[in-house]
Amino acid sequence: MAKQLYNPPSPLETRVLSKRFGLEGSETLDVYLANDGFKAFLKAKEMTPEAIIEEVKTSALRGRGGAGFPTGLKWSFVPRTSPKPRVLVVNADESEPGCCKDRLLIEYDPHQLIEGILIASLAVDAHVGYVYVRGEYRYLVEKMDRAIEEAYARGYLGDNVAGTGWKFDLHTHSGAGAYECGEETALLDSLEGKRGVPRMKPPFPAVAGAWGMPTLLNNVETFSAIPPIIRDGGAAFAALGTPKNGGTRLMCLSGHVNKPGVYEIPLGFPMMKAINELGGGMRNGKKLKAVVPGGSSCPLLKADECDIPMDYDTLAKVGSMLGAGGMVVLDEDTDMVKFALRIMRFYQHESCGWCIPCREGTTWLRKILQRFSDGHGRREDISLIGELSKNMLGRTFCALGDAAAMPTISIVEKFTEDFEKYLVAKEAVAV
Amino acid sequence: MAELVKLNIDGRDIEAEKGALLIEVARQNGIEVPAFCYHEDYTLQAACRMCLVEIEKTPKLQVGCTTPVAEGMVVRTDSDIVKKARKGTLEFLLTNHPLDCPVCDKGGECELQDMVFRYGAGESRFVERKHHVDEKQWSPVVYFDAPRCILCYRCVRACNEGMGVGALGVGNRGAVSEIIPNHDDHLECDECGACIDICPVGALTSGSYRYQTRPWEMEHVGTICTHCADGCKTTLGVRNDEIMRGNNRDRSGINDEFLCIKGRYAFDFTKHPERLQSPMLRTANGHEAISWSKALDIIATKFSTVKLAGGKFGVIGSNHTTNEENFFLAKFARQALETKNVDHHRTGDLATLFDALSGKNNALATSADLYNAKAVLVIGADLSQQHPFLAFQARANVRHHNGHIYAVTTGEVREDQQAVASVRVQKGGELAGVESLREKLKAEGDLVVVFGDAVQGDALRKLVAFGDSLGIPVKYVCLVDYSNSRGAFDMGVTPKDGGLSREEMLAAADLDVLWVVGANPLKNTQLVSKKAFVVVQDLFMTETAKQADIVLPAASAYEKSGTVTNVCGEVQKLAQAIKVMGPKTDLEIMGLIAKEMGLNLGIWLPEKVFAEIRKAVHGYDVSPAQLAVGPAATMPLNGRVAALPGAIQSSGDTLFTSGSLTRYSEILNSVMEAPGQLYRGKGQ
Amino acid sequence: MTFSPQLEQRFAKLLTRYPEGRTRSAVIPMLIYAQDEVGAVTRELIDEVAKRCKVTPVQVDEVVGYYSMLHRKPQGKFHVQVCTNISCLLVGGEELYEHAKKKLGVGHKETTADGQFSLEEVECMGACSWAPAVEINYDFHHHVTPEKLDQLIDGLRKAQ
């Protein structure tokens, strides 16, 4: 546990959100205040809510939870003058396989997150917020609680935030093991003490979210990006990235690279550069086979598709997604049947069970892939896997069905030869 | 009038209310959009994904059950892509659904079976192992077979939203999600069986019906439940003159899908082994079976002799028998026996209510009014226990119309859950409780006041005066017990014009004849007159029958036709579900006695008697054609009604009791909630 | 049911966090904190949480069945959770899990006879860049090799 999780700064990185990582006591308010802390909040306090939202729009910040929705636009949907009180919710239910960035932002810079939340509270006129932390991150609940306590004790939360007269209360809320609760409406049900089953939209959370109140819900990284945006201006943040893909983001590099880790890079950073330079190249000198660009739900890219800049729009163009920043690198030895099975096992385990196509589809696919991987595959299974995935795609209640289907389709279509190998092996035995 | 929009479904131009759900609009226009989870009474789920449709300019298929229609929408429900999606969803569903249709109770009336037949694939591509879980018994009436369950959550919603019980939930997650009961391995609930009937597949089955028969082997007879006064329609499945089940799955009748344990299961008294099969004569050795002709002869002779001698008759009618029977009995007593001593067990103060409302039109609420009124005030009654359908209506009102419920009761009641205000009072303090709600009630658009026997006489007059003073339209429901209390009153089975009340008859030392048709007045009372000749018509050897000189076996409501009038004054037709060999209908018995006595009281066929009722009883001029299609609300005489002697008292039955019938229904006695264990001490 | 003063204090705080009348919101945190102390989500605990949060027991049951970290049966004093999801899979997560099974002599969601250790193959727990990862109770261990896992388990055993 003792080892720090962040990397030594690399010249290839652009550290904005993570700039305090590595400072002694970076999780304390004193260190935060000594390093630009709360400058942005005090600045925002002098701005109109419209101006704050405009600044966020200018920054071209897009939601870092996976969907990549423009943050400023999302904020503008919250009815600030509703007679119902507004609620802020921080999605710290980081559960997408491949992603482990929000951990660092809470562990090493919780006050940046708090400040981001406070600025959002000004923008939507909210006075209470909840940080929903996945149950497995218990130590982060405690770290967050300590940061919140410290902020209260020093007047950065409570009835008179930073002496401005602004009132805001912040609480943590622990989950208890459910990937689905990362889906924003399932998270709200979970926050209300229910099974984490997604809600029907509309109404969107911005209009009727937690306890029926207008709710602004963003990912940890999204909120953490707000202080630098307000402090240095949205334009400056936007300029770090590419058009419509503002700023930097934390990329979680894992898999068969020499230097896995969480790196902060600008949007539009070349994927191959991430693998070969940030990641120190392929492990054991192996060849690249595929990349999961943003977390397990993103369609895989074959090695020859990876020479691209990493931004939302480019990834969409090549039929995948930037997701929540979980980049998993696979080398030539990777067995794609086993990889597909592991992904499907995950989604089958995490399907909430609410709707038929996801509940039954993931279960069926898991069974087929398990059988295939056990050496009992049939030739027709290869097309069946694709067809069943497509029968889920776009037909489920929430995006989990798509998340299970998309990588599976990409694997079975792009790496058919891996499936064929199983059949050849089986046929060889049969002879 | 709501704003209309124009849209096009499957090439047809359609006009619909803006915001209406696409699935509803399609169905109203005869376009079938299949769905499992969608149910118009309950919250939307969008879980089954069967109702996916193609909407132009929308990239993905959309669920029809949550999509509001909009101007210019172009929808396809029959395109190849939609058909493929349905087929795919059904294929998914069948991966874990056991194909045990040949033994499943639901076979033949299963929605999944129907859908697979219409939209599914002929062959399965599924070759993996299915996930099996053993069937569980949750209560004497509810069994659950998890693998058959398709998780449409209808049962959960019916129990929670419809019944207000919330005994069902969803356990586990994902593929192993399953419906769970509220107590680990069993249910403690109303045992109403709503979950079973609303289940589209055979996951929830009925303890009394399971594995007994198949739907197509039965005749389905829609009639009116004989237990409480709410007048729910129950459709009895009958095979070989045996009732196999009761339900209201076709949602006909005033009660829509609602039925309680009594309507759904408590028909079993009809085949109880102690059911009387032949007339019985009391002898020194107890009761002995005699022939009908002998019994009729003895009765006719006795009645004629006493009448000739100017003796004293006491006639007690029933709140279970039909209007025709009660009408015929009252006529028999007044015209032939020349007595005014006619009464029945009165359980609500209808006389005072009608008198207090004299001169007012539209002051009596129908069961539909409880669903439509802006507000419902319940006084001195545990509505969910005693009048479960009326309570269901009020809950549905809150759910669908944001109606307001107010409760003024002596104890906690289920209505509190949804009430905007609940007032607890001591018995007798009901009016003061009502008074405390004055300002709130004044602000309502209109009001239905539902009151129990706690409000009678002067208190009832004061309640009506209170209603008048609110300045809003107010309608009333006087709660009465049993299936035809209201009819017995309307048919004149009352001691009006100076007759003896029921209590007075039983107490009269000089009573010569006591004739009891379908009642048990001696349950807790002794008959004072030692010389009285007692004739009892009943299904069972009740306490009263045991004291009778002659007991005549009577048919139950499920074994005859005729009409009954529910608590809200709605007249409905009974349909004979089964034929019985020994017993006769009370109408026939009375007719035969009249014939034996040489009287001419008219033909004793229910239709003929009803024709007489149409002419003689105010408000009952209802045509047979109208009765054939549904209930008809009656309006009693709009004029003064004289006060009646005698007591008015409800039996205070719960969901699990039904007066003297309770002990003859095994199902009512089998559930752990009986007799009122769960709710004892609660409520009114 | 009685809990430690610390837990009672935590519960008291929890119940004030949510808007008025929304005590149901405390159900999940309350269950998981109580499970840590009680050892399992027992029937008694479910009824107690239902009472405190003003919901019906079946509403709590629904939640208990849903969340994978809530357990109705007691786990080992040390609950060893090995991730085998994609990032861990690629760098030996499955081998690590197989090793853990042999080392502890138990399988998925099983507990050693002495009640000291239980094992669970878990889904991604957010340690992808430091894979393969193991979480023992609430403590993360990164870059875990079979040897390192042996040391960890032996160390915990010895500390007894």
Side-chain angles (χ1 to χ4, degrees):
Chain A
M1 206 53 248
K3 216 177 137 209
Q4 299 297 2
L5 296 180
Y6 49 82
N7 312 291
S10 151
L12 294 165
E13 285 186 90
T14 308
R15 291 205 165 189
V16 179
L17 277 69
S18 62
K19 73 169 187 174
R20 277 172 291 266
F21 290 7
L23 293 181
E24 175 82 21
S26 68
E27 75 280 12
T28 63
L29 190 53
D30 279 332
V31 172
Y32 187 62
L33 290 171
N35 290 276
D36 294 337
F38 280 93
K39 281 185 186 159
F41 174 77
L42 293 172
K43 185 174 171 191
K45 190 70 185 66
E46 301 307 314
M47 295 161 73
T48 63
E50 291 82 1
I52 297 173
I53 293 175
E54 208 42 54
E55 205 62 49
V56 176
K57 282 184 179 167
T58 306
S59 77
L61 174 66
R62 294 170 65 161
R64 300 293 192 235
F69 193 80
T71 305
L73 192 59
K74 191 172 191 178
W75 289 20
S76 71
F77 293 154
V78 179
R80 199 162 49 231
T81 52
S82 159
K84 289 183 182 170
R86 270 75 53 209
V87 179
L88 292 189
V89 178
V90 183
N91 187 342
D93 191 59
E94 181 169 65
S95 310
E96 173 91 354
C99 303
C100 50
K101 63 191 173 61
D102 295 339
R103 252 181 95 176
L104 303 195
L105 289 167
I106 294 179
E107 186 167 353
Y108 299 115
D109 208 347
H111 292 286
Q112 176 173 250
L113 173 60
I114 294 173
E115 189 182 3
I117 297 163
L118 284 165
I119 294 166
S121 81
L122 294 170
V124 300
D125 191 26
H127 298 279
V128 67
Y130 299 87
V131 185
Y132 183 104
V133 186
R134 66 179 298 193
E136 293 86 346
Y137 284 179
R138 169 65 64 81
Y139 84 102
L140 288 183
V141 175
E142 282 156 13
K143 280 190 190 290
M144 196 69 216
D145 275 339
R146 274 201 293 280
I148 289 173
E149 255 169 57
E150 198 190 0
Y152 269 106
R154 303 272 298 272
Y156 285 91
L157 279 172
D159 292 338
N160 184 14
V161 176
T164 62
W166 186 250
K167 184 181 173 347
F168 192 79
D169 288 308
L170 186 64
H171 310 285
T172 57
H173 180 102
S174 173
Y179 167 74
E180 181 61 12
C181 292
E183 198 279 343
E184 61 177 9
T185 60
L187 184 149
L188 292 175
D189 260 22
S190 184
L191 179 63
E192 291 183 13
K194 301 169 191 167
R195 298 161 65 76
V197 170
R199 297 178 179 180
M200 228 150 348
K201 291 185 274 195
F204 287 90
V207 177
W211 310 287
M213 299 168 185
T215 300
L216 176 61
L217 205 149
N218 277 133
N219 172 259
V220 170
E221 188 182 345
T222 313
F223 277 120
S224 296
I226 299 301
I229 288 170
I230 297 299
R231 192 183 60 231
D232 304 331
F237 187 80
L240 296 171
T242 59
K244 289 189 196 161
N245 292 268
T248 56
R249 66 174 305 164
L250 271 61
M251 183 198 58
C252 321
L253 194 56
S254 69
H256 297 142
V257 286
N258 282 314
K259 292 198 295 176
V262 177
Y263 302 92
E264 184 169 1
I265 50 172
L267 271 285
F269 194 91
M271 186 179 276
M272 288 314 295
K273 194 172 168 187
I275 295 169
N276 292 327
E277 298 182 29
L278 270 178
M282 298 300 292
R283 228 173 52 160
N284 304 328
K286 296 278 183 187
K287 270 196 258 169
L288 176 68
K289 179 168 190 171
V291 170
V292 179
S296 62
S297 57
C298 307
L300 278 73
L301 300 178
K302 288 179 84 161
D304 60 11
E305 296 174 300
C306 294
D307 200 6
I308 49 168
M310 289 193 283
D311 61 67
Y312 293 97
D313 302 321
T314 306
L315 266 294
K317 245 180 264 164
V318 297
S320 189
M321 306 182 300
L322 206 45
M327 182 169 161
V328 189
V329 180
L330 282 61
D331 73 17
E332 57 188 318
D333 293 343
T334 311
D335 179 341
M336 297 311 283
V337 173
K338 294 236 183 312
F339 198 77
L341 168 63
R342 192 60 192 88
I343 288 180
M344 195 51 69
R345 276 181 60 197
F346 170 71
Y347 286 107
Q348 194 267 345
H349 182 259
E350 299 300 335
S351 166
C352 77
W354 181 254
C355 74
I356 291 168
C358 173
R359 181 180 74 232
E360 306 296 344
T362 54
T363 304
W364 189 358
L365 283 162
R366 177 187 173 153
K367 285 176 177 175
I368 297 173
L369 285 163
Q370 183 69 58
R371 179 165 53 73
F372 212 103
S373 145
D374 290 345
H376 306 295
R378 306 168 306 167
R379 191 157 293 278
E380 60 263 42
D381 289 330
I382 300 175
S383 55
L384 188 58
I385 291 165
E387 281 172 42
L388 296 179
S389 300
K390 284 172 189 163
N391 275 352
M392 282 200 289
L393 195 64
R395 296 187 193 157
T396 52
F397 189 100
C398 76
L400 195 143
D402 293 349
M406 291 184 297
T408 309
I409 295 169
S410 73
I411 292 172
V412 80
E413 288 181 354
K414 292 181 184 177
F415 302 96
T416 318
E417 69 279 4
D418 281 41
F419 288 79
E420 304 271 358
K421 266 184 221 156
Y422 273 80
L423 296 176
V424 171
K426 186 183 152 195
E427 280 152 14
V429 171
V431 171
Chain B
M1 190 71 191
E3 197 187 328
L4 292 179
V5 292
K6 288 194 177 77
L7 69 157
N8 183 293
I9 307 180
D10 295 343
R12 281 172 53 189
D13 288 324
I14 286 171
E15 237 182 15
E17 244 177 58
K18 187 181 177 183
L21 294 173
L22 184 53
I23 193 169
E24 278 298 320
V25 173
R27 287 179 176 185
Q28 281 153 16
N29 286 280
I31 298 164
E32 171 68 21
V33 178
F36 291 113
C37 69
Y38 177 72
H39 190 290
E40 56 271 42
D41 280 358
Y42 301 124
T43 46
L44 302 175
Q45 313 287 290
C48 77
R49 320 305 285 178
M50 272 304 287
C51 64
L52 287 168
V53 295
E54 203 178 344
I55 300 175
E56 242 176 46
K57 295 187 190 119
T58 315
K60 291 202 287 188
L61 296 180
Q62 299 294 309
V63 279
C65 70
T66 62
T67 306
V69 293
E71 181 67 36
M73 203 177 237
V74 179
V75 182
R76 302 249 37 137
T77 75
D78 59 355
S79 62
D80 287 344
I81 179 165
V82 170
K83 285 180 188 160
K84 191 166 171 271
R86 284 177 191 159
K87 198 168 158 183
T89 301
L90 286 168
E91 186 182 30
F92 281 144
L93 258 189
L94 291 180
T95 56
N96 211 51
H97 187 88
L99 298 178
D100 59 350
C101 311
V103 296
C104 176
D105 275 353
K106 212 69 170 197
E109 52 185 12
C110 170
E111 293 177 38
L112 178 58
Q113 213 176 26
D114 292 349
M115 289 215 202
V116 172
F117 192 73
R118 288 186 68 173
Y119 307 111
E123 273 173 46
S124 172
R125 294 184 289 179
F126 185 80
V127 297
E128 323 299 329
R129 268 182 94 86
K130 295 196 180 203
H131 171 72
H132 178 75
V133 184
D134 285 339
E135 189 185 40
K136 300 176 188 87
Q137 181 177 10
W138 283 346
S139 88
V141 298
V142 185
Y143 281 71
F144 178 61
D145 190 341
R148 284 184 192 157
C149 176
I150 60 169
L151 290 164
C152 67
Y153 318 108
R154 282 195 208 167
C155 54
V156 178
R157 286 172 286 159
C159 187
N160 195 3
E161 300 167 23
M163 299 305 299
V165 174
L168 296 175
V170 185
N172 298 335
R173 181 170 86 193
V176 291
S177 296
E178 61 176 48
I179 305 301
I180 52 169
N182 58 356
H183 286 265
D184 285 333
D185 57 351
H186 73 276
L187 274 172
E188 286 177 30
C189 63
D190 283 3
E191 309 283 1
C192 69
C195 52
I196 299 170
D197 276 353
I198 208 164
C199 179
V201 295
L204 287 158
T205 53
S206 141
S208 68
Y209 172 74
R210 61 203 299 276
Y211 301 137
Q212 298 291 310
T213 183
R214 313 308 313 258
W216 57 86
E217 292 176 334
M218 296 183 289
E219 270 185 85
H220 304 277
V221 184
T223 189
I224 305 302
C225 173
T226 189
H227 293 281
C228 89
D230 291 355
C232 294
K233 181 171 179 189
T234 176
T235 300
L236 301 173
V238 180
R239 193 186 63 182
N240 300 335
D241 277 319
E242 189 184 343
I243 304 172
M244 308 304 293
R245 70 173 186 192
N247 67 32
N248 203 39
R249 285 189 74 211
D250 67 358
R251 304 174 67 180
S252 59
I254 55 173
N255 45 311
D256 200 69
E257 75 263 51
F258 175 83
L259 276 178
C260 73
I261 181 171
K262 294 179 212 171
R264 217 172 242 117
Y265 302 109
F267 50 77
D268 57 346
F269 66 85
T270 53
K271 56 177 179 188
H272 192 278
E274 288 173 35
R275 188 78 192 270
L276 295 172
Q277 295 299 336
S278 87
M280 309 287 277
L281 175 71
R282 189 167 62 184
T283 69
N285 305 321
H287 282 95
E288 281 175 10
I290 57 168
S291 70
W292 275 101
S293 59
K294 188 171 175 193
L296 293 169
D297 177 43
I298 297 172
I299 295 166
T301 309
K302 184 70 183 180
F303 281 12
S304 301
T305 317
V306 172
K307 185 184 162 189
L308 210 60
K312 188 178 268 187
F313 283 92
V315 177
I316 295 176
S318 173
N319 37 31
H320 274 298
T321 60
T322 63
N323 287 323
E324 291 76 4
E325 289 165 337
N326 276 318
F327 180 85
F328 198 87
L329 180 66
K331 182 166 123 178
F332 198 132
R334 292 207 168 85
Q335 285 181 21
L337 303 180
E338 293 171 5
T339 180
K340 290 174 184 168
N341 303 336
V342 182
D343 202 0
H344 70 286
H345 173 199
R346 276 171 282 135
T347 54
D349 196 355
L350 290 164
T352 304
L353 178 68
F354 294 163
D355 189 47
L357 295 180
S358 100
K360 291 189 175 65
N361 289 314
N362 271 329
L364 291 168
T366 63
S367 53
D369 288 330
L370 272 98
Y371 174 63
N372 291 314
K374 295 275 181 273
V376 175
L377 166 64
V378 182
I379 308 170
D382 190 340
L383 209 62
S384 293
Q385 285 288 305
Q386 295 160 342
H387 294 275
F389 168 54
L390 298 190
F392 177 84
Q393 290 289 82
R395 274 194 299 274
N397 189 351
V398 175
R399 214 164 57 238
H400 297 159
H401 310 138
N402 293 315
H404 291 168
I405 296 182
Y406 298 87
V408 177
T409 56
T410 55
E412 262 180 51
V413 288
R414 190 178 299 164
E415 283 61 50
D416 294 343
Q417 290 174 12
Q418 290 180 301
V420 290
S422 285
V423 183
R424 291 290 100 87
V425 295
Q426 296 289 316
K427 199 164 168 58
E430 284 84 0
L431 284 189
V434 171
E435 187 59 49
S436 73
L437 296 171
R438 177 182 286 277
E439 291 311 309
K440 287 196 177 96
L441 295 173
K442 269 167 77 174
E444 298 288 355
D446 64 312
L447 178 69
V448 171
V449 179
V450 180
F451 61 92
D453 65 345
V455 184
Q456 51 176 278
D458 276 352
L460 177 47
R461 288 183 196 281
K462 283 181 190 152
L463 177 65
V464 173
F466 171 84
D468 288 345
S469 71
L470 291 175
I472 56 168
V474 182
K475 292 181 180 183
Y476 298 86
V477 179
C478 171
L479 297 175
V480 289
D481 301 351
Y482 308 126
S483 56
N484 203 25
S485 278
R486 175 68 183 271
F489 180 88
D490 290 348
M491 296 305 123
V493 186
T494 55
K496 56 187 179 188
D497 311 323
L500 294 181
S501 70
R502 198 171 67 119
E503 295 74 23
E504 287 165 338
M505 294 178 213
L506 302 182
D510 58 344
L511 193 72
D512 292 295
V513 168
L514 179 67
W515 183 14
V516 181
V517 177
N520 190 13
L522 301 178
K523 190 174 183 179
N524 303 308
T525 319
Q526 283 302 309
L527 181 63
V528 173
S529 170
K530 297 296 165 215
K531 64 174 181 179
F533 177 78
V534 180
V535 176
V536 172
Q537 298 173 204
D538 210 311
L539 280 70
F540 296 102
M541 228 10 164
T542 62
E543 288 84 352
T544 306
K546 279 182 189 147
Q547 296 185 45
D549 294 276
I550 293 203
V551 186
L552 300 170
S556 74
Y558 298 143
E559 296 152 352
K560 59 188 168 197
S561 43
T563 62
V564 287
T565 309
N566 77 352
V567 63
C568 295
E570 291 155 314
V571 188
Q572 304 187 87
K573 247 172 107 72
L574 295 182
Q576 185 184 14
I578 49 175
K579 291 189 279 294
V580 277
M581 297 299 286
K584 295 183 190 298
T585 69
D586 290 298
L587 187 58
E588 186 180 5
I589 296 172
M590 290 184 282
L592 290 171
I593 296 173
K595 185 183 169 203
E596 194 72 23
M597 287 171 73
L599 304 168
N600 182 9
L601 290 173
I603 303 170
W604 57 82
L605 288 173
E607 307 79 60
K608 297 288 178 195
V609 179
F610 193 76
E612 274 186 72
I613 293 172
R614 286 181 70 181
K615 286 181 209 139
V617 182
H618 190 92
Y620 277 75
D621 190 10
V622 184
S623 72
Q626 195 180 340
L627 269 181
V629 294
T634 63
M635 200 41 64
L637 185 65
N638 189 352
R640 297 306 301 263
V641 179
L644 296 171
I648 292 168
Q649 196 183 8
S650 161
S651 304
D653 277 306
T654 70
L655 273 175
F656 307 100
T657 67
S658 182
S660 298
L661 278 180
T662 311
R663 70 191 96 155
Y664 302 107
S665 168
E666 273 177 39
I667 205 96
L668 284 185
N669 290 299
S670 69
V671 293
M672 66 180 294
E673 292 84 357
Q677 290 290 351
L678 260 190
Y679 302 100
R680 183 171 289 168
K682 286 193 182 175
Q684 148 72 28
Chain C
M1 234 178 148
T2 50
F3 303 104
S4 67
Q6 293 87 332
L7 192 57
E8 284 293 355
Q9 208 186 347
R10 192 156 213 174
F11 284 175
K13 250 194 200 163
L14 263 178
L15 288 169
T16 61
R17 277 184 184 174
Y18 307 99
E20 206 184 322
R22 305 296 185 164
T23 45
R24 183 172 183 176
S25 285
V27 166
I28 295 159
M30 210 181 254
L31 281 169
I32 196 152
Y33 292 133
Q35 174 179 266
D36 293 342
E37 185 167 303
V38 178
V41 180
T42 60
R43 182 77 248 164
E44 196 190 5
L45 178 59
I46 288 173
D47 293 342
E48 181 69 24
V49 169
K51 199 170 77 191
R52 290 184 185 224
C53 298
K54 300 191 178 72
V55 296
T56 62
V58 72
Q59 290 173 325
V60 181
D61 264 320
E62 288 190 306
V63 163
V64 176
Y66 184 87
Y67 293 92
S68 59
M69 292 176 72
L70 299 174
H71 305 270
R72 289 177 199 264
K73 285 190 193 131
Q75 294 169 289
K77 186 173 175 197
F78 301 105
H79 187 50
V80 181
Q81 301 147 79
V82 184
C83 175
T84 60
N85 211 308
I86 50 172
S87 296
C88 289
L89 173 84
L90 294 177
V91 292
E94 275 195 343
E95 292 76 8
L96 189 64
Y97 173 62
E98 290 305 317
H99 181 80
K101 281 206 278 193
K102 275 197 213 102
K103 171 82 182 166
L104 295 172
V106 294
H108 181 55
K109 290 191 179 176
E110 288 176 0
T111 305
T112 55
D114 60 3
Q116 289 298 300
F117 291 93
S118 49
L119 180 63
E120 186 174 351
E121 181 187 11
V122 294
E123 297 301 348
C124 179
M125 49 199 191
C128 316
S129 292
W130 315 286
V134 170
E135 198 177 354
I136 301 182
N137 295 343
Y138 293 109
D139 293 333
F140 277 89
H141 302 274
H142 300 123
H143 303 296
V144 184
T145 57
E147 299 72 40
K148 203 170 153 189
L149 186 66
D150 284 348
Q151 285 167 20
L152 268 170
I153 290 172
D154 294 340
L156 290 168
R157 235 181 226 144
K158 233 176 264 164
Q160 286 312 292

